[in-house]
């Protein structure tokens, strides 16, 4: 049966792979992109129907990749290999983004920084708080997750942020957290936390360049709104 399935679908799979290699994903539907990804978890199954089922169930390709492992397993036809692959895809994106920022270019302008920070929160359904440590040339040293919370809050202790900045020998830091279930507006607690961390790090000659709040594809900059002071 395995051989029969491979014969039946191998031609279609090869054509889809060749189309992706030739043009990226240009001209391909989200269903086809997901079908292609599922090939690598289900080598002997037709994944077209499952791709449609998953996107219809979660609403979009992004919804599929944002879904957690157990939610994916609950969909008929999804086994542990496919669920693991889909769950880990956003983590691959984040690791690539970290490596690119650290090795290729400094986080020295708004566009680069906000793109990098948005990538940190791809697929995150709970609030997380990051301390992004930079050297004197604005190159990434480490994007350190300080804590993970619930859908609507995360507890952050300024002392931990200071310890991590010193550990990584940061010259500059960027604070970042997400609001997965809310609006892209800071709370009073967000403002007070930013003030405290900035004061503590400033006393150690470590500058907080910005605090970025991510909600979906939106990114709120404390610096742009005049909510954080910088020396430049």
């Amino acid at each position: 049966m395995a051989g029969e399935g491979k014969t039946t679908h191998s031609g279609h799979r090869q054509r889809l792979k060749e189309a992706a290699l030739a043009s990226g994903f240009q001209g391909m539907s989200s269903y086809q992109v997901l079908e292609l990804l599922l090939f690598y978890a289900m080598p002997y199954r037709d994944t077209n129907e499952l791709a449609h089922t998953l996107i219809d169930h979660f609403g979009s390709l992004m919804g599929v990749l944002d879904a957690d492992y157990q939610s994916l397993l609950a969909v008929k036809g999804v086994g542990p290999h496919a669920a693991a692959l889909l769950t880990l895809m956003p983590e691959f994106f984040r690791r690539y983004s970290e490596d690119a920022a650290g090795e290729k270019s400094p986080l020295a302008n708004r566009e680069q920084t906000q793109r990098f920070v948005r990538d940190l929160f791809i697929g995150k359904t709970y609030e997380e708080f990051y301390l992004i440590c930079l050297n004197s040339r604005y190159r990434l040293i480490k994007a350190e997750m300080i804590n993970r919370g619930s859908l609507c809050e995360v507890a952050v202790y300024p002392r931990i942020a200071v310890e991590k900045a010193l550990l990584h020998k940061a010259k500059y830091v960027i604070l970042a957290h997400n609001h997965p279930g809310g609006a892209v507006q800071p709370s009073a607690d967000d403002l007070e936390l930013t003030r405290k961390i900035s004061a503590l790090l400033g006393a150690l000659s470590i500058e907080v360049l910005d605090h970025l709040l991510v909600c979906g594809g939106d990114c709120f900059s404390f610096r742009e709104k005049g909510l954080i002071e910088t020396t430049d």
Side-chain angles (χ1 to χ4, degrees):
M1 293 297 292
E4 179 183 347
K6 185 175 181 179
T7 300
T8 302
H9 304 299
S10 59
H12 170 67
R13 290 188 171 205
Q14 186 61 33
R15 288 190 296 272
L16 204 55
K17 289 176 186 177
E18 289 173 354
L21 288 170
S23 61
F25 292 137
Q26 295 296 318
M28 295 179 67
S29 69
S30 293
Y31 296 109
Q32 290 174 314
V33 172
L34 182 56
E35 180 185 3
L36 179 62
L37 180 60
L38 289 170
F39 288 170
Y40 299 97
M42 300 177 170
Y44 301 118
R45 279 187 54 187
D46 177 8
T47 59
N48 179 275
E49 183 177 350
L50 182 57
H52 280 76
T53 298
L54 282 166
I55 289 178
D56 292 346
H57 181 83
F58 291 105
S60 65
L61 177 60
M62 183 178 73
V64 174
L65 297 181
D66 283 352
D68 62 45
Y69 180 77
Q70 293 300 329
S71 297
L72 289 165
L73 280 181
V75 177
K76 185 178 179 180
V78 178
H81 294 307
L85 177 64
L86 296 173
T87 302
L88 290 172
M89 287 306 299
E91 301 300 331
F92 285 123
F93 301 152
R94 272 186 284 279
R95 181 59 62 88
Y96 174 86
S97 182
E98 284 189 32
D99 285 354
E103 296 179 6
K104 295 182 180 178
S105 62
L107 295 179
N109 63 56
R110 180 180 65 180
E111 182 180 348
Q112 287 174 324
T113 303
Q114 292 192 4
R115 181 171 60 246
F116 173 76
V117 169
R118 280 195 295 266
D119 288 348
L120 287 176
F121 297 106
I122 291 174
K124 297 301 179 74
T125 56
Y126 297 100
E127 280 202 23
E128 294 182 350
F129 191 97
Y130 277 83
L131 182 78
I132 301 167
C133 298
L134 309 176
N135 66 17
S136 60
R137 299 176 62 191
Y138 300 95
R139 292 188 182 276
L140 178 70
I141 300 172
K142 178 71 174 179
E144 181 87 37
M145 188 177 71
I146 301 298
N147 203 7
R148 176 183 289 119
S150 66
L151 179 65
C152 58
E153 64 179 357
V154 57
V156 178
Y157 301 99
R159 174 181 58 81
I160 302 298
V162 171
E163 289 176 356
K164 295 298 185 181
L166 291 173
L167 174 67
H168 297 302
K169 298 180 173 61
K171 175 61 178 176
Y172 303 105
V173 301
I174 297 167
L175 311 177
H177 80 285
N178 61 330
H179 279 181
V184 64
Q185 290 291 331
S187 66
D189 288 341
D190 293 336
L191 296 171
E192 179 62 13
L193 176 64
T194 303
R195 186 193 66 78
K196 288 182 177 178
I197 293 177
S198 297
L200 288 171
L201 289 176
L204 298 169
S205 299
I206 301 172
E207 184 180 354
V208 177
L209 296 177
D210 205 347
H211 185 167
L212 297 173
L213 171 59
V214 174
C215 182
D218 296 324
C219 193
F220 180 98
S221 167
F222 283 51
R223 179 179 183 175
E224 290 177 14
K225 299 299 183 182
L227 300 175
I228 194 169
E229 294 183 2
T230 59
T231 58
D232 59 352

